[in-house]
Structure formats: C-alpha cells, structure tokens
C-alpha cells in the first residue's frame, strides 16, 4: 500500500493511492504534465495508473481529468450529478457513473463513496478497502457529519482536510464573504473541527494521518502538525502525520502487507 498527496490545496488536488497493484488517483486538479512530473518523484508514470476517482466538480479537483483520462485511457469514476455539472469535461471513453453513497469494485478493491457537505452539487469522500486494510479520504468538508465519522472508522491510513486555523482566517486578508463561505456548513474544515472528528475515529490501527487541503494563507503546516499531534497524543495514539503541500508531492507513505494469521 502506498499513499502520496501529489498536490494539496486550493490551487490543485490529486492523491495517488496504490493498493494490491491497483493505482488510482483521487481527483486530478493538476495539469497532465505536472501530474506526470510529480508521479515521477515516486517512480511512476501516468501509464501506471488504472483509474481516476472524483470527489466533486470544483476546478482544483478536476482541472486535469479530461486530458489525463483521454491520453492514458483511464476510466473515470464520478457521481452522475457531479458529471452533469461538468459540461466542459469532454468525452471520457470509459465513464463509470455512480450515485453518492454507492460502493463499487475496482480490481481487488472495494470502493465506497459517501456524501459530504460542501458547496458542490453532490460531493463525496471515499473509503478503499482491501486485504491490506482500509484507507479513508475526506477533504472539502463543511462540517464533520455523523455519516462521515461512521465511514472513516477503522482506517489504516486516513486523508483528512485541515484547511484553516480559525484565528488566522479571522485575522487574514480574505474578503468577509469568502471568510463566511469557508466557515460555513458548506465550506472547509478548520484544524479544530478536523481534530474533533479525529478524536472520534482515531484508533490503535491507524498508521498514517495525511493532513490535506491546507490553506496557504490561513494555515501553517507547523501549526497544523502540532495541533493534530496534540489531539492524537490525547487519544493515546501515535500514527505518522504527513502534511500535503501545494507546490510538491508529499512524503509517500508505504506499508508492508498485513500479516495474515
Ligand atoms: Zn478543494
Ligand atoms: Zn471544493
């Protein structure tokens, strides 16, 4: 199992997940060239990919999907309302439509989608389950709902939004309307909101926590890392914390296969 945030933040998001030989991207907000460049830092090319999963239609998540899917013949798994909200996506030869809340298989993986609250038509998070354990993925969340907390239980690796520090957002230069949008039930999770969610779902089997979609203006990697480390310590757990960056790929987390007893 390998997980790497190729890019994370309001200017482009894409995450590489490799489980049991199946390599997929969750979102493709970078250009094809940049996706390829960042994959190369972990020894992969776009031709090594098997699928793209889409969380929602915002440009920072879908900007590179059309060209990437067409050039490399990749199936695109996308909620049907989200697809309808992307008239400029262009033709995708292998379009795999689902409805938020549905599960589907991809090679040996069971992928489940679940609804999130965000200002998009039908946004989702994902869990990916296999013999190697469960990966949870939830970014672009207005609020951490009960459904999200339930879906993200028992994850070996968790990718969670940590968009802003509430005080930095308050004191920062964004216009008031934008601050309100970010803070709203359909905006983004603050460090504190995300930590409250984490308290409900962290467990001894969690090996890595990725912090994703950090605002470059309203958050700071060191601060976020410290806040989440304190939360995890308070819960008695010690997974690795890996922080997603906008300008480069994150550390690539890699596990050995679980020993089957
Ligand atoms: Zn986003
Ligand atoms: Zn969004």
């Amino acid at each position: 199992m390998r997980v790497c945030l190729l890019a994370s933040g309001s200017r482009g998001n894409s995450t590489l997940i490799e489980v049991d030989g199946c390599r997929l991207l969750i979102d493709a907000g970078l250009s094809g060239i940049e996706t390829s460049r960042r994959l190369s830092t972990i020894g992969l090319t776009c031709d090594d990919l098997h699928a793209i999963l889409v969380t929602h239609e915002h440009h920072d998540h879908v900007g590179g999907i059309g060209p990437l899917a067409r050039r490399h013949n990749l199936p695109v798994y996308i909620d049907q309302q989200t697809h309808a909200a992307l008239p400029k996506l262009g033709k995708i030869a292998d379009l795999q439509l689902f409805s938020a809340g549905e599960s589907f298989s991809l090679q040996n993986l069971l992928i489940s989608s679940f609804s999130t609250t965000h200002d998009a038509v039908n946004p989702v998070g994902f869990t990916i389950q296999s013999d190697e354990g469960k990966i949870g993925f939830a970014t672009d969340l207005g609020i951490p709902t009960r459904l999200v907390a339930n879906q993200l239980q028992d994850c070996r690796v968790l990718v969670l939004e940590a968009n802003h520090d509430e005080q930095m957002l308050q004191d920062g230069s964004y216009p008031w309307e934008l601050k309100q949008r970010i803070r709203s039930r359909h905006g983004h999770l603050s460090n504190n909101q995300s930590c409250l969610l984490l308290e409900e779902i962290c467990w001894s089997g969690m090996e890595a926590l990725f912090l994703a979609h950090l605002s470059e203006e309203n958050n700071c990697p060191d601060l976020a890392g410290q806040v989440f480390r304190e939360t995890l310590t308070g819960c008695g757990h010690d997974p690795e914390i890996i922080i997603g960056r906008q300008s480069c790929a994150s550390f690539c987390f890699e596990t050995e296969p679980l020993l089957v007893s």
Side-chain angles (χ1 to χ4, degrees):
M1 178 191 289
R2 291 205 288 177
V3 180
C4 176
L5 303 193
L6 300 178
S8 194
S10 57
R11 289 185 290 113
N13 294 276
S14 191
T15 297
L16 178 278
I17 291 178
E18 176 178 329
V19 185
D20 203 9
C22 181
R23 295 176 208 95
L24 49 90
L25 291 184
I26 297 185
D27 293 333
L30 299 173
S31 69
I33 290 172
E34 191 59 20
T35 302
S36 171
R37 202 180 67 75
R38 297 195 188 191
L39 280 173
S40 73
T41 65
I42 54 170
L44 296 175
T45 72
C46 291
D47 288 322
D48 295 319
L49 299 173
H50 297 103
I52 303 173
L53 313 184
V54 182
T55 60
H56 66 297
E57 74 275 18
H58 287 163
H59 187 74
D60 53 320
H61 299 259
V62 301
I65 285 175
L68 204 59
R70 283 187 281 278
R71 196 169 306 140
H72 301 280
N73 242 334
L74 293 170
V76 174
Y77 291 77
I78 185 167
D79 167 80
Q80 46 195 344
Q81 290 184 45
T82 299
H83 179 252
L86 284 167
K88 292 184 181 159
L89 184 61
K91 181 153 179 51
I92 304 291
D94 190 354
L95 188 64
Q96 300 286 335
L97 296 175
F98 64 84
S99 294
E102 286 182 349
S103 299
F104 47 91
S105 342
L106 182 55
Q107 297 188 12
N108 294 330
L109 314 183
L110 173 65
I111 299 179
S112 301
S113 66
F114 55 90
S115 291
T116 56
T117 59
H118 187 55
D119 53 359
V121 295
N122 212 13
V124 296
F126 293 105
T127 60
I128 296 158
Q129 291 172 268
S130 72
D131 293 344
E132 294 188 52
K134 181 175 174 185
I135 298 170
F137 186 99
T139 69
D140 298 69
L141 302 170
I143 48 168
T145 59
R146 175 61 35 209
L147 173 70
V148 170
N150 287 342
Q151 292 290 324
L152 296 179
Q153 301 289 335
D154 306 325
C155 288
R156 190 176 181 192
V157 177
L158 178 64
V159 179
L160 197 56
E161 170 163 51
N163 178 258
H164 59 278
D165 171 73
E166 288 163 17
Q167 196 62 47
M168 285 177 74
L169 178 66
Q170 173 74 30
D171 298 342
S173 63
Y174 279 12
W176 182 82
E177 296 79 11
L178 182 54
K179 289 182 182 180
Q180 287 300 92
R181 184 227 147 204
I182 291 169
R183 283 193 283 243
S184 78
R185 294 172 61 83
H186 295 89
H188 290 280
L189 279 195
S190 69
N191 294 342
N192 288 344
Q193 287 174 302
S194 190
C195 281
L196 287 174
L197 171 60
L198 183 62
E199 283 176 351
E200 292 191 48
I201 58 180
C202 64
W203 67 302
S204 56
M206 187 185 289
E207 294 174 36
L209 170 68
F210 282 85
L211 302 183
H213 220 302
L214 268 73
S215 166
E216 292 181 296
E217 178 107 6
N218 302 310
N219 210 347
C220 157
D222 288 347
L223 172 67
Q226 184 186 335
V227 170
F228 281 82
R229 176 58 66 203
E230 283 168 10
T231 297
L232 288 166
T233 302
C235 297
H237 302 303
D238 190 30
E240 191 163 348
I241 295 178
I242 299 160
I243 300 180
R245 309 285 170 142
Q246 189 69 85
S247 58
C248 60
S250 73
F251 175 75
C252 182
F253 180 78
E254 194 162 351
T255 62
E256 296 297 320
L258 286 174
L259 292 174
V260 179
S261 53

